[in-house]
């Protein structure tokens, strides 16, 4: 390798002023030349840190090596050997904390843009189920009796389905909503993860591989775990997510115009409310929008508000920008688009007008104290210092808790102290042959962690069914 | 998944219809008090309707709806043999039914249909069921004959006196409670002001009141909190904690206010639909 370029190849993006007027994808993806140039920065380490940083252990150096040799099919085959949804992961993984965070080049400059390269390779093969390495060769069930059910249609279940279908197992995915994908569909906005162009194409690959998708089936309501075994399923994977939104429990939180990020985003994304009234689901819109929290969901909500007519959008956070947990790229994009960061502030009360519509929020001013258990400096109130902010739409993105619907219907499923499903080795639950993974085990985490958990469970199920070898 | 409309009956022409939907997987597990979420088309919104009745053997559920916006107008334009685009359920907690003697089940508007299923549950549990139903006029009364088929008493009130007591349904409820101190529970399903009025009426008699709430919903499975309601000062989700709550603890004023949260957009959507000539 010649002289090391310390700077990664920039991701071409829609101009901020243009993109806030549409709902199209912001990051446009590398060109062929961009990809080859960026791949060339990889040092092909003997002991790569990046792979250890990846929850599904993509053989990163090998796929980048194939890319350097301009062998896209081989690169794709290598990625697909451990990651069934690379076009999605390339877009939504927090790479800076995972693969890229462990890249040796961090010591000299930018790490290799692994996520962007993964996306480039995956996008090239999207919608080409017959293409080499696409995993789209029809996988005939080896044994029609060996059926597996996945409850919940998010990333964890999709991973289980992909892994097992590739080994000739008949998999049925039961999804409560009317569209498969979980958070990929109801949570992450179109401008960050296109639905028809990316998510549905990845899912079409699985359907082509024989996975059966059943929508409008609610685990614990329409379908119970006991019934699945009665109907001949040999194993069940539970990936129902952690859907129940948290609120602040401050006065005025039930005013009109104060809502959870889940409601705000579900109306916009699952309901395509950004295209109302062409689509029937009305979305909440505001002139002065405040978003509470500073994770990826908060960034998604803030950026959605800009695209649906807000004049001013503020992220209100009790710590400072340095402690914000969102993916770095999302924060940068939000800031470029004009989102304002209101640091060191926590809501005390939402105040409404006579019709019960929120009009302002009273904020407690905070300061940073000593580091807490997570190592982040904990916020403390500045006694008696309160300010107000005008807002006609307040979106609360504080995180979520375990959704109780399936758990209440399945009392024999052991839970941990936090109310999530307890799993042992191979992510098996207290009920034999019932596995669980994703947010319903860990609490709200990331797409890739859910996929990693699904993969562990899928491996164990495959071994139990005697189909571990592809 | 789509669900075929096995039968359709217009109960009040242009306003309220009953449909029998083919849904064996829902009919097999649904209980009184449960609801379903529907979508009427590929671009449709999700909306809840309480299950009014079911037939496990035939694999059907009954829904009754009032045309109050685009989605219900589209649903009302559908005919027998066509399919509802998406049907999801059974959702919500079932009614708590146990043998307690006499139960007065009050229904108003299309709430009578939802109340019917609950009343039936109480009847099957061996309770003495008194149905009390009200409407503006006789021709707007729903489910009278169906209730008469199994209820021990059916009390009727109309605003114009065209049948039954001339006046409000709360007045017949009050008379019935005054006549018989042994009523164990009152159930009320209907518009928010009516449920709120029933609670006020029953309070002096110190009889428990259960109300079934019609909050706005999106997913219906506890994910969004659109259906938040204050019950005894605590925030509950109607979809997973309800839809039935202790009537004495519900903040009805807040509920009524929250139902109007998107009224401008709902009106726009409905007006656009009507303008396209879909609606007479």
């Amino acid at each position: 390798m010649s002289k090391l370029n310390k700077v990664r190849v920039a991701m071409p993006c829609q101009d901020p002023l243009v993109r806030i007027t549409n709902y199209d994808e912001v990051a446009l993806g590398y060109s062929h030349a961009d990809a080859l140039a960026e791949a060339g920065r990889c040092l092909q380490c003997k002991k790569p840190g990046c792979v250890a940083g990846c929850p599904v252990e993509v053989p990163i150096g090998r796929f980048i090596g194939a890319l350097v040799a301009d062998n896209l099919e081989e690169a794709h085959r290598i990625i697909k050997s451990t990651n069934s949804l690379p076009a999605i992961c390339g877009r939504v993984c927090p790479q800076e904390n995972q693969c890229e965070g462990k890249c040796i080049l961090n010591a000299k400059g930018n790490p290799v843009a692994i996520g962007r390269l993964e996306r480039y390779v995956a996008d090239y093969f999207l919608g080409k189920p017959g293409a080499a390495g696409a995993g789209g060769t029809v996988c005939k069930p080896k044994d029609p009796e060996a059926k597996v059910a996945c409850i919940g249609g998010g990333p964890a279940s999709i991973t289980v389905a992909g892994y097992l279908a590739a080994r000739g197992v008949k998999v049925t995915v039961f999804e409560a909503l009317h569209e498969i994908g979980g958070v990929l569909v109801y949570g992450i906005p179109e401008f960050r993860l296109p639905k028809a162009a990316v998510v549905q194409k990845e899912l079409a690959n699985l359907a082509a591989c024989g996975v059966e998708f059943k929508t409008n089936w609610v685990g614990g309501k329409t379908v119970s775990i006991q019934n699945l075994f009665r109907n001949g399923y040999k194993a069940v994977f539970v990936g129902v997510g952690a859907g129940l939104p948290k609120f602040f429990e401050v006065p005025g939180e039930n005013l009109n115009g104060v809502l959870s990020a889940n409601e705000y985003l579900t109306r916009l994304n699952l309901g395509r409310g950004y295209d109302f009234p062409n689509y029937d689901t009305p979305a909440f819109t505001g002139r002065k929008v405040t978003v509470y929290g500073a994770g990826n969901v908060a960034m998604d909500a803030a950026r959605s508000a800009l695209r649906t007519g807000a004049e001013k959008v503020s992220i209100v956070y009790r710590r400072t920008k340095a402690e914000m947990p969102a993916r770095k790229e999302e924060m940068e994009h939000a800031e470029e688009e004009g989102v304002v960061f209101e640091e060191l502030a926590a809501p005390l009360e939402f105040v409404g007008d006579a019709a019960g519509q929120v009009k302002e929020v009273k904020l407690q001013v905070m300061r940073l104290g000593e580091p807490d258990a997570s190592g982040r400096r904990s916020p403390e109130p500045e006694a008696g210092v309160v300010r107000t902010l005008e807002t006609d739409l307040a979106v609360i993105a504080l995180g979520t808790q375990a959704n109780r619907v399936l758990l209440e219907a399945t009392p024999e499923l052991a839970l941990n102290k936090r109310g999530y499903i307890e799993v042992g080795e191979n992510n098996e639950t207290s009920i034999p042959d019932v596995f669980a993974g994703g947010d319903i085990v860990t609490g709200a985490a990331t797409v890739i962690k859910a996929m990693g958990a699904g993969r562990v469970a899928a491996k164990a199920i495959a071994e139990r069914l005697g189909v571990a070898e592809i | 998944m789509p669900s075929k409309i096995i039968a359709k009956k217009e109960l009040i022409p242009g306003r309220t219809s009953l449909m029998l939907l083919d849904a064996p997987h829902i009919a097999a597990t649904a209980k009184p008090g449960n609801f379903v979420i529907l979508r009427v088309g590929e671009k449709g919104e999700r909306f809840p309707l309480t299950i009014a009745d079911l037939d496990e053997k035939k694999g059907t559920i009954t829904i009754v709806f009032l045309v109050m916006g685009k989605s219900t107008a589209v649903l009302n334009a559908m005919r027998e043999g066509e399919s509802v685009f998406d049907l999801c359920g059974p959702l919500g907690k079932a009614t708590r039914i146990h043998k307690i003697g006499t139960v007065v089940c009050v229904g108003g508007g299309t709430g009578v249909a939802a109340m019917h299923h609950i009343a039936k549950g109480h009847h099957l549990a061996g309770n003495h069921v008194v149905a009390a139903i009200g409407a503006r006029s006789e021709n707007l009364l729903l489910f009278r004959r169906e209730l008469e088929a199994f209820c021990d008493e059916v009390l009727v009130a109309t605003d114009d006196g065209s049948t039954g007591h001339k006046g409000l349904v709360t007045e017949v409820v009050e008379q019935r409670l005054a006549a018989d101190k042994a009523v164990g529970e009152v159930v009320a399903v209907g518009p928010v002001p009516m449920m709120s009025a029933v609670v006020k009426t029953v309070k002096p008699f110190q009889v428990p009141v259960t109300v079934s709430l019609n909050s706005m919903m999106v997913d219906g499975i506890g994910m969004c909190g659109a259906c938040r309601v204050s019950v005894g000062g605590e925030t509950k989700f109607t979809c997973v904690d309800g839809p039935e709550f202790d009537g004495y603890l519900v903040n009805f004023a807040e509920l009524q206010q929250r139902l109007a949260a998107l009224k401008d957009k709902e009106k726009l959507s409905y007006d656009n639909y009507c303008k396209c000539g879909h609606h007479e």
Side-chain angles (χ1 to χ4, degrees):
Chain A
M1 183 168 169
S2 58
K3 230 165 110 196
L4 175 72
N5 189 346
K6 290 179 186 171
V7 183
R8 55 169 60 186
V9 177
M11 173 62 105
C13 284
Q14 274 199 77
D15 182 85
L17 289 176
V18 174
R19 71 196 191 217
I20 58 168
T21 64
N22 65 48
Y23 234 72
D24 301 336
E25 189 168 21
V26 167
L28 301 171
Y30 276 167
S31 66
H32 184 69
D34 289 339
L36 290 188
E38 183 61 25
R41 295 181 61 235
C42 177
L43 299 181
Q44 292 291 324
C45 304
K46 285 259 163 16
K47 286 185 183 164
C50 53
V51 180
C54 174
V56 298
E57 299 171 315
V58 169
I60 294 164
R62 282 179 49 217
F63 102 73
I64 294 180
L67 197 49
V68 170
D70 206 5
N71 187 344
L72 273 126
E73 290 190 355
E74 180 59 14
H76 192 230
R77 195 176 291 120
I78 292 166
I79 295 173
K80 276 281 199 177
S81 70
T82 74
N83 185 346
S84 49
L85 305 170
I88 292 169
C89 293
R91 287 170 165 83
V92 304
C93 271
Q95 288 96 358
E96 68 263 33
N97 306 326
Q98 298 178 349
C99 53
E100 294 177 14
K102 300 273 170 75
C103 176
I104 190 86
L105 290 187
N106 277 302
K108 309 235 171 190
N110 296 149
V112 175
I114 299 165
R116 295 170 182 178
L117 294 176
E118 179 184 38
R119 169 183 164 170
Y120 174 75
V121 174
D123 280 5
Y124 185 84
F125 290 96
L126 259 188
K128 298 176 191 161
T137 46
V138 179
C139 319
K140 266 197 197 134
K142 286 182 187 159
D143 172 5
E145 297 291 302
K147 295 193 296 178
V148 172
C150 295
I151 304 181
S157 283
I158 292 169
T159 303
V160 173
Y163 189 93
L164 293 175
R167 285 158 180 79
V169 177
K170 177 80 197 153
V171 182
T172 311
V173 178
F174 296 93
E175 163 61 43
L177 296 173
H178 58 263
E179 218 172 303
I180 295 285
V183 72
L184 307 174
V185 168
Y186 74 75
I188 303 175
E190 176 78 15
F191 56 79
R192 197 149 77 81
L193 180 63
K195 309 301 164 228
V198 178
V199 180
Q200 283 163 13
K201 281 183 184 159
E202 292 265 41
L203 293 173
N205 275 344
L206 292 182
C209 211
V211 175
E212 182 186 20
F213 291 112
K214 284 187 176 242
T215 51
N216 297 312
W217 286 74
V218 184
K221 293 286 183 188
T222 321
V223 58
S224 70
I225 290 176
Q226 298 90 319
N227 248 326
L228 289 171
F229 284 116
R230 243 173 266 147
N231 287 323
Y233 288 94
K234 300 291 183 248
V236 175
F237 178 81
V238 178
V240 296
L244 196 75
K246 286 185 202 164
F247 288 90
F248 283 107
E249 292 171 29
V250 297
E253 211 165 16
N254 289 347
L255 287 165
N256 291 342
V258 183
L259 56 153
S260 74
N262 265 11
E263 177 180 0
Y264 182 63
L265 292 172
T266 300
R267 288 178 177 277
L268 285 167
N269 302 330
L270 178 72
R272 302 335 189 240
Y274 60 86
D275 195 12
F276 174 87
N278 180 29
Y279 281 79
D280 294 343
T281 305
F284 282 87
T285 48
R287 273 187 322 109
K288 305 214 172 201
V289 180
T290 46
V291 178
Y292 303 82
N296 290 327
V297 174
M299 299 302 148
D300 285 345
R303 298 172 68 200
S304 298
L306 283 175
R307 286 161 172 76
T308 48
E311 289 163 16
K312 186 187 173 196
V313 180
S314 313
I315 294 258
V316 180
Y317 186 49
R318 60 198 182 121
R319 294 176 160 112
T320 67
K321 256 165 81 178
E323 291 82 24
M324 289 187 178
R327 211 171 160 248
K328 205 171 138 220
E329 189 184 1
E330 308 314 324
M331 284 175 59
E332 286 167 5
H333 281 164
E335 205 155 25
E336 283 166 18
E337 290 169 9
V339 171
V340 178
F341 291 96
E342 295 279 354
E343 303 172 295
L344 297 169
L348 285 174
E349 182 184 357
F350 295 99
V351 182
D353 63 16
Q357 162 67 43
V358 66
K359 60 173 188 183
E360 67 176 33
V361 58
K362 283 190 182 149
L363 298 172
Q364 167 69 57
V365 175
M366 313 293 281
R367 63 159 180 262
L368 286 184
E370 293 303 305
D372 65 8
S374 72
R376 292 188 299 179
R377 293 176 66 190
S378 29
E380 296 164 356
E382 288 272 11
V385 188
V386 174
R387 60 192 179 105
T388 60
L389 203 58
E390 192 189 339
T391 184
D392 56 349
L393 181 61
V395 180
I396 298 172
L398 272 188
T400 53
Q401 293 161 278
N403 188 313
R404 305 271 317 145
V405 173
L406 178 75
L407 310 183
E408 279 175 9
T410 324
E412 61 274 39
L413 205 53
L415 307 180
N416 64 23
K417 278 185 202 144
R418 293 157 66 218
Y420 296 103
I421 296 177
E422 198 160 270
V423 292
E425 213 181 329
N426 298 325
N427 290 343
E428 192 165 14
T429 69
S430 57
I431 308 176
D433 296 323
V434 177
F435 296 76
D439 288 3
I440 193 58
V441 171
T442 57
T446 58
V447 168
I448 189 70
K449 286 206 171 118
M451 292 176 61
R455 196 155 172 272
V456 169
K459 268 186 186 171
I461 294 170
E463 271 167 32
R464 210 162 284 184
L465 296 175
V467 294
E469 295 302 314
I470 234 172
Chain B
M1 97 212 64
S3 175
K4 197 171 174 184
I5 302 166
I6 304 291
K8 178 189 172 188
K9 195 159 86 182
E10 277 204 285
L11 303 179
I12 304 168
R15 280 196 51 191
T16 303
S17 291
L18 173 153
M19 281 179 180
L20 223 57
L21 302 178
D22 180 43
H25 58 292
I26 297 176
T29 50
K31 302 228 162 30
N34 286 147
F35 65 92
V36 289
I37 293 258
L38 303 89
R39 282 203 320 146
V40 293
E42 210 184 336
K43 295 182 174 180
E45 63 180 332
R46 300 170 66 89
F47 67 98
L49 287 176
T50 307
I51 298 170
D53 203 359
L54 59 84
D55 187 327
E56 204 184 327
K57 272 193 207 130
K58 289 185 182 149
T60 59
I61 63 164
T62 303
I63 54 166
V64 174
F65 56 92
L66 170 72
V67 176
M68 53 189 301
K70 180 178 174 184
S71 295
T72 41
V74 172
L75 185 60
N76 200 35
M78 294 174 92
R79 301 191 192 108
E80 279 178 21
E82 291 185 288
S83 286
V84 171
F85 197 79
D86 279 306
L87 181 70
C88 179
L91 301 172
K93 288 200 168 33
T95 310
R96 278 187 11 165
I97 292 176
H98 45 265
K99 193 146 193 250
I100 45 163
T102 301
V103 179
V104 177
C105 296
V106 194
T110 44
V112 177
M115 178 273 272
H116 166 266
H117 199 204
I118 298 168
K120 207 174 187 180
H122 277 293
H123 165 71
L124 293 173
N127 287 321
H128 179 97
V129 179
V130 181
I133 56 176
R136 266 187 290 127
S137 182
E138 185 175 13
N139 60 337
L140 302 176
L141 265 182
L142 303 179
F143 268 66
R144 182 178 187 170
R145 202 172 311 153
E146 288 84 345
L147 288 164
E148 282 171 349
F150 66 84
C151 290
D152 299 281
E153 300 167 48
V154 177
L155 310 175
V156 175
T158 52
D159 292 358
D160 63 2
S162 48
T163 183
H165 169 81
K166 182 175 190 305
L168 300 171
V169 74
T170 45
E171 290 161 10
V172 299
V173 170
E174 190 171 14
Q175 288 163 13
R176 184 61 185 76
L177 289 171
D180 176 5
K181 303 283 180 214
V183 172
E185 186 182 353
V186 173
V187 177
V189 192
V192 175
M194 172 247 158
M195 290 190 286
S196 169
V198 169
V199 170
K200 278 200 193 88
T201 303
V202 179
K203 198 171 183 189
F205 298 94
Q206 294 183 305
V207 175
V209 184
T210 300
V211 292
S212 176
L213 306 185
N214 54 344
S215 310
M216 198 188 295
M217 289 184 193
V218 182
D219 54 84
I221 50 173
M223 279 176 46
C224 84
C227 63
R228 303 203 295 294
V229 57
S230 294
V231 181
E234 268 181 64
T235 295
K236 298 281 182 190
F237 284 16
T238 304
C239 67
V240 289
D241 299 320
E244 292 175 13
F245 294 102
D246 178 345
Y248 293 115
L249 300 180
V250 171
N251 182 337
F252 288 106
E254 183 190 274
L255 173 64
Q256 184 77 330
Q257 199 172 281
R258 288 184 60 80
L259 284 170
L262 285 162
K263 64 176 192 298
D264 295 345
K265 292 200 172 72
E266 285 162 356
K267 186 175 181 308
L268 172 76
S269 188
Y270 189 33
D271 288 350
N272 281 353
Y273 175 72
C274 297
K275 256 185 253 158
C276 290
H278 289 294
H279 199 58
E280 54 272 72

